[in-house]
Short mmCIF file of all heavy atoms in Angstrom, two decimals:
data_model
loop_
_atom_site.label_atom_id
_atom_site.label_comp_id
_atom_site.label_asym_id
_atom_site.label_seq_id
_atom_site.Cartn_x
_atom_site.Cartn_y
_atom_site.Cartn_z
N CYS B 478 124.98 105.94 87.28
CA CYS B 478 126.14 106.58 86.68
C CYS B 478 126.10 108.10 86.96
O CYS B 478 125.05 108.64 87.31
CB CYS B 478 126.06 106.48 85.15
SG CYS B 478 126.35 104.89 84.44
N GLY B 479 127.18 108.68 86.70
CA GLY B 479 127.15 110.14 86.34
C GLY B 479 126.91 111.13 87.55
O GLY B 479 127.41 111.00 88.56
N GLU B 480 126.06 112.05 87.20
CA GLU B 480 125.94 113.29 87.93
C GLU B 480 125.42 113.10 89.36
O GLU B 480 125.80 113.80 90.31
CB GLU B 480 124.99 114.30 87.30
CG GLU B 480 125.67 115.13 86.26
CD GLU B 480 124.69 116.15 85.65
OE1 GLU B 480 123.89 116.72 86.39
OE2 GLU B 480 124.77 116.43 84.45
N ASN B 481 124.41 112.22 89.51
CA ASN B 481 123.74 112.19 90.79
C ASN B 481 124.56 111.75 91.96
O ASN B 481 124.66 112.50 92.97
CB ASN B 481 122.43 111.33 90.71
CG ASN B 481 121.31 111.97 89.93
OD1 ASN B 481 121.63 112.98 89.27
ND2 ASN B 481 120.18 111.42 89.90
N PRO B 482 125.28 110.64 91.87
CA PRO B 482 126.15 110.24 93.00
C PRO B 482 127.25 111.32 93.27
O PRO B 482 127.48 111.67 94.46
CB PRO B 482 126.75 108.94 92.55
CG PRO B 482 125.88 108.45 91.50
CD PRO B 482 125.33 109.64 90.81
N LYS B 483 127.80 111.86 92.25
CA LYS B 483 128.90 112.83 92.53
C LYS B 483 128.31 114.15 93.08
O LYS B 483 128.97 114.76 93.84
CB LYS B 483 129.80 113.05 91.26
CG LYS B 483 129.31 113.91 90.21
CD LYS B 483 130.22 113.78 88.99
CE LYS B 483 129.98 114.98 88.09
NZ LYS B 483 130.97 116.09 88.42
N ARG B 484 127.10 114.46 92.75
CA ARG B 484 126.52 115.66 93.30
C ARG B 484 126.16 115.40 94.80
O ARG B 484 126.33 116.27 95.67
CB ARG B 484 125.25 116.04 92.55
CG ARG B 484 124.61 117.41 93.06
CD ARG B 484 123.37 117.79 92.30
NE ARG B 484 122.37 116.78 92.35
CZ ARG B 484 121.93 116.02 91.36
NH1 ARG B 484 122.49 116.14 90.20
NH2 ARG B 484 121.00 115.17 91.51
N VAL B 485 125.62 114.21 95.02
CA VAL B 485 125.13 113.91 96.38
C VAL B 485 126.36 113.80 97.40
O VAL B 485 126.22 114.22 98.51
CB VAL B 485 124.36 112.61 96.39
CG1 VAL B 485 124.02 112.08 97.82
CG2 VAL B 485 122.98 112.81 95.66
N TYR B 486 127.40 113.21 96.92
CA TYR B 486 128.55 112.98 97.86
C TYR B 486 129.71 113.98 97.68
O TYR B 486 130.42 114.26 98.72
CB TYR B 486 129.09 111.54 97.72
CG TYR B 486 128.01 110.54 98.11
CD1 TYR B 486 127.20 109.88 97.26
CD2 TYR B 486 127.76 110.49 99.51
CE1 TYR B 486 126.26 109.04 97.74
CE2 TYR B 486 126.74 109.64 99.97
CZ TYR B 486 126.01 108.94 99.05
OH TYR B 486 125.02 108.18 99.50
N GLY B 487 129.90 114.50 96.50
CA GLY B 487 131.03 115.49 96.28
C GLY B 487 130.82 116.67 97.23
O GLY B 487 129.66 117.11 97.44
N GLY B 488 131.93 117.13 97.82
CA GLY B 488 131.75 118.32 98.72
C GLY B 488 131.50 117.92 100.12
O GLY B 488 131.52 118.72 101.07
N GLY B 489 131.28 116.62 100.33
CA GLY B 489 131.21 116.12 101.72
C GLY B 489 129.89 116.40 102.44
O GLY B 489 129.77 116.17 103.68
N LYS B 490 128.88 116.85 101.69
CA LYS B 490 127.61 117.07 102.33
C LYS B 490 126.96 115.82 102.95
O LYS B 490 126.39 115.90 104.08
CB LYS B 490 126.65 117.71 101.32
CG LYS B 490 125.42 118.33 101.96
CD LYS B 490 124.54 119.00 100.85
CE LYS B 490 123.08 118.79 101.22
NZ LYS B 490 122.22 118.63 100.09
N ASN B 491 127.06 114.81 102.27
CA ASN B 491 126.32 113.60 102.75
C ASN B 491 127.18 112.45 103.25
O ASN B 491 126.63 111.40 103.67
CB ASN B 491 125.43 113.06 101.66
CG ASN B 491 124.20 113.96 101.50
OD1 ASN B 491 123.56 114.31 102.47
ND2 ASN B 491 123.97 114.39 100.24
N ASN B 492 128.49 112.56 103.17
CA ASN B 492 129.39 111.69 103.99
C ASN B 492 130.68 112.37 104.16
O ASN B 492 131.09 113.30 103.41
CB ASN B 492 129.45 110.29 103.39
CG ASN B 492 130.39 110.27 102.10
OD1 ASN B 492 130.94 111.26 101.69
ND2 ASN B 492 130.48 109.10 101.47
N VAL B 493 131.43 111.98 105.13
CA VAL B 493 132.65 112.66 105.50
C VAL B 493 133.71 112.66 104.50
O VAL B 493 134.48 113.57 104.38
CB VAL B 493 133.20 112.17 106.89
CG1 VAL B 493 132.30 112.60 108.05
CG2 VAL B 493 133.39 110.70 106.84
N LEU B 494 133.74 111.61 103.71
CA LEU B 494 134.81 111.49 102.73
C LEU B 494 134.63 112.44 101.54
O LEU B 494 135.63 112.79 100.85
CB LEU B 494 134.90 110.03 102.25
CG LEU B 494 135.29 109.06 103.23
CD1 LEU B 494 135.18 107.59 102.62
CD2 LEU B 494 136.66 109.21 103.76
N GLY B 495 133.41 112.80 101.34
CA GLY B 495 133.18 113.65 100.12
C GLY B 495 133.42 112.90 98.84
O GLY B 495 133.68 113.44 97.75
N ARG B 496 133.22 111.60 98.88
CA ARG B 496 133.42 110.77 97.71
C ARG B 496 132.25 109.96 97.38
O ARG B 496 131.57 109.44 98.28
CB ARG B 496 134.60 109.83 98.00
CG ARG B 496 135.91 110.44 97.70
CD ARG B 496 136.99 109.37 97.71
NE ARG B 496 138.23 109.83 98.29
CZ ARG B 496 138.98 109.13 99.08
NH1 ARG B 496 138.64 107.87 99.38
NH2 ARG B 496 140.08 109.62 99.60
N PRO B 497 131.99 109.69 96.12
CA PRO B 497 132.74 110.15 94.93
C PRO B 497 132.43 111.58 94.66
O PRO B 497 131.33 112.07 94.92
CB PRO B 497 132.19 109.20 93.86
CG PRO B 497 130.78 108.91 94.27
CD PRO B 497 130.88 108.78 95.73
N ALA B 498 133.34 112.29 94.02
CA ALA B 498 133.14 113.62 93.67
C ALA B 498 133.23 113.81 92.16
O ALA B 498 133.03 114.88 91.59
CB ALA B 498 134.15 114.49 94.29
N THR B 499 133.68 112.73 91.42
CA THR B 499 133.90 112.81 89.98
C THR B 499 133.39 111.51 89.30
O THR B 499 133.15 110.52 89.98
CB THR B 499 135.43 112.86 89.71
OG1 THR B 499 136.02 111.71 90.21
CG2 THR B 499 136.01 114.13 90.35
N ARG B 500 133.31 111.55 88.01
CA ARG B 500 132.93 110.32 87.32
C ARG B 500 133.95 109.21 87.52
O ARG B 500 133.62 108.07 87.71
CB ARG B 500 132.74 110.64 85.80
CG ARG B 500 131.43 111.32 85.52
CD ARG B 500 131.21 111.43 84.02
NE ARG B 500 129.75 111.49 83.72
CZ ARG B 500 129.06 112.58 83.87
NH1 ARG B 500 129.55 113.70 84.36
NH2 ARG B 500 127.75 112.50 83.53
N MET B 501 135.23 109.61 87.53
CA MET B 501 136.23 108.55 87.76
C MET B 501 136.11 108.04 89.16
O MET B 501 136.36 106.82 89.44
CB MET B 501 137.65 109.02 87.46
CG MET B 501 138.13 110.31 88.15
SD MET B 501 139.72 110.87 87.42
CE MET B 501 139.92 112.37 88.37
N GLY B 502 135.70 108.86 90.05
CA GLY B 502 135.50 108.41 91.47
C GLY B 502 134.27 107.44 91.50
O GLY B 502 134.30 106.40 92.24
N ASN B 503 133.27 107.75 90.71
CA ASN B 503 132.16 106.78 90.56
C ASN B 503 132.63 105.42 90.13
O ASN B 503 132.34 104.37 90.76
CB ASN B 503 131.15 107.28 89.51
CG ASN B 503 130.29 108.45 89.89
OD1 ASN B 503 130.39 108.86 91.09
ND2 ASN B 503 129.60 109.03 89.04
N VAL B 504 133.41 105.40 89.09
CA VAL B 504 133.80 104.11 88.52
C VAL B 504 134.74 103.36 89.49
O VAL B 504 134.59 102.07 89.62
CB VAL B 504 134.44 104.34 87.08
CG1 VAL B 504 134.99 102.96 86.59
CG2 VAL B 504 133.49 104.94 86.18
N HIS B 505 135.54 104.08 90.18
CA HIS B 505 136.33 103.44 91.27
C HIS B 505 135.38 102.78 92.29
O HIS B 505 135.63 101.65 92.72
CB HIS B 505 137.25 104.48 91.94
CG HIS B 505 137.87 103.97 93.21
ND1 HIS B 505 137.57 104.41 94.47
CD2 HIS B 505 138.75 103.00 93.39
CE1 HIS B 505 138.28 103.74 95.37
NE2 HIS B 505 139.01 102.87 94.70
N GLY B 506 134.36 103.48 92.59
CA GLY B 506 133.36 103.00 93.55
C GLY B 506 132.70 101.67 93.17
O GLY B 506 132.59 100.73 93.86
N TYR B 507 132.29 101.62 91.85
CA TYR B 507 131.67 100.40 91.35
C TYR B 507 132.70 99.29 91.35
O TYR B 507 132.40 98.11 91.80
CB TYR B 507 131.15 100.51 89.89
CG TYR B 507 130.43 101.77 89.51
CD1 TYR B 507 130.83 102.52 88.41
CD2 TYR B 507 129.32 102.16 90.21
CE1 TYR B 507 130.12 103.64 88.05
CE2 TYR B 507 128.63 103.30 89.82
CZ TYR B 507 129.06 104.06 88.73
OH TYR B 507 128.33 105.14 88.36
N ARG B 508 133.88 99.53 90.90
CA ARG B 508 134.83 98.43 90.69
C ARG B 508 135.29 97.86 92.01
O ARG B 508 135.43 96.68 92.21
CB ARG B 508 136.01 98.95 89.87
CG ARG B 508 135.63 99.34 88.37
CD ARG B 508 136.77 99.90 87.62
NE ARG B 508 137.77 98.82 87.33
CZ ARG B 508 139.08 98.97 87.43
NH1 ARG B 508 139.60 100.09 87.86
NH2 ARG B 508 139.84 97.99 87.08
N GLN B 509 135.49 98.80 93.03
CA GLN B 509 135.86 98.34 94.33
C GLN B 509 134.78 97.50 94.91
O GLN B 509 135.04 96.46 95.53
CB GLN B 509 136.21 99.53 95.22
CG GLN B 509 136.80 99.08 96.56
CD GLN B 509 138.14 98.40 96.34
OE1 GLN B 509 139.05 98.88 95.76
NE2 GLN B 509 138.20 97.14 96.82
N ALA B 510 133.51 97.91 94.69
CA ALA B 510 132.35 97.12 95.22
C ALA B 510 132.37 95.72 94.60
O ALA B 510 132.12 94.74 95.33
CB ALA B 510 131.10 97.83 94.98
N TRP B 511 132.59 95.66 93.26
CA TRP B 511 132.58 94.35 92.63
C TRP B 511 133.76 93.50 93.13
O TRP B 511 133.63 92.26 93.34
CB TRP B 511 132.64 94.44 91.09
CG TRP B 511 131.43 95.08 90.49
CD1 TRP B 511 131.38 96.07 89.66
CD2 TRP B 511 130.05 94.63 90.68
NE1 TRP B 511 130.05 96.43 89.28
CE2 TRP B 511 129.27 95.49 89.90
CE3 TRP B 511 129.51 93.64 91.43
CZ2 TRP B 511 127.90 95.38 89.83
CZ3 TRP B 511 128.08 93.51 91.37
CH2 TRP B 511 127.30 94.36 90.59
N ALA B 512 134.93 94.16 93.29
CA ALA B 512 136.06 93.38 93.77
C ALA B 512 135.83 92.85 95.14
O ALA B 512 136.16 91.69 95.48
CB ALA B 512 137.34 94.33 93.76
N ASP B 513 135.18 93.67 95.97
CA ASP B 513 134.87 93.21 97.36
C ASP B 513 133.85 92.03 97.24
O ASP B 513 133.96 91.08 98.09
CB ASP B 513 134.22 94.39 98.15
CG ASP B 513 135.24 95.43 98.46
OD1 ASP B 513 136.44 95.26 98.28
OD2 ASP B 513 134.80 96.55 98.89
N ALA B 514 132.90 92.14 96.35
CA ALA B 514 131.84 91.09 96.21
C ALA B 514 132.56 89.77 95.77
O ALA B 514 132.20 88.71 96.17
CB ALA B 514 130.79 91.52 95.27
N GLN B 515 133.55 89.88 94.88
CA GLN B 515 134.24 88.72 94.43
C GLN B 515 134.90 88.08 95.57
O GLN B 515 134.90 86.81 95.79
CB GLN B 515 135.31 89.02 93.38
CG GLN B 515 134.68 89.33 92.00
CD GLN B 515 135.81 89.80 91.03
OE1 GLN B 515 136.80 90.38 91.42
NE2 GLN B 515 135.58 89.52 89.75
N ASP B 516 135.55 88.85 96.36
CA ASP B 516 136.28 88.40 97.56
C ASP B 516 135.31 87.70 98.56
O ASP B 516 135.53 86.56 99.03
CB ASP B 516 136.98 89.52 98.24
CG ASP B 516 137.76 89.12 99.42
OD1 ASP B 516 138.68 88.25 99.30
OD2 ASP B 516 137.49 89.53 100.57
#
Side-chain angles (χ1 to χ4, degrees):
Chain B
C478 291
E480 278 185 36
N481 289 9
K483 78 190 200 91
R484 184 181 60 250
V485 169
Y486 293 104
K490 193 177 142 216
N491 288 311
N492 73 3
V493 288
L494 296 173
R496 276 193 216 140
T499 60
R500 280 186 157 78
M501 55 190 177
N503 287 352
V504 176
H505 169 246
Y507 314 128
R508 296 177 71 225
Q509 189 61 57
W511 292 128
D513 293 347
Q515 285 177 329
D516 182 59

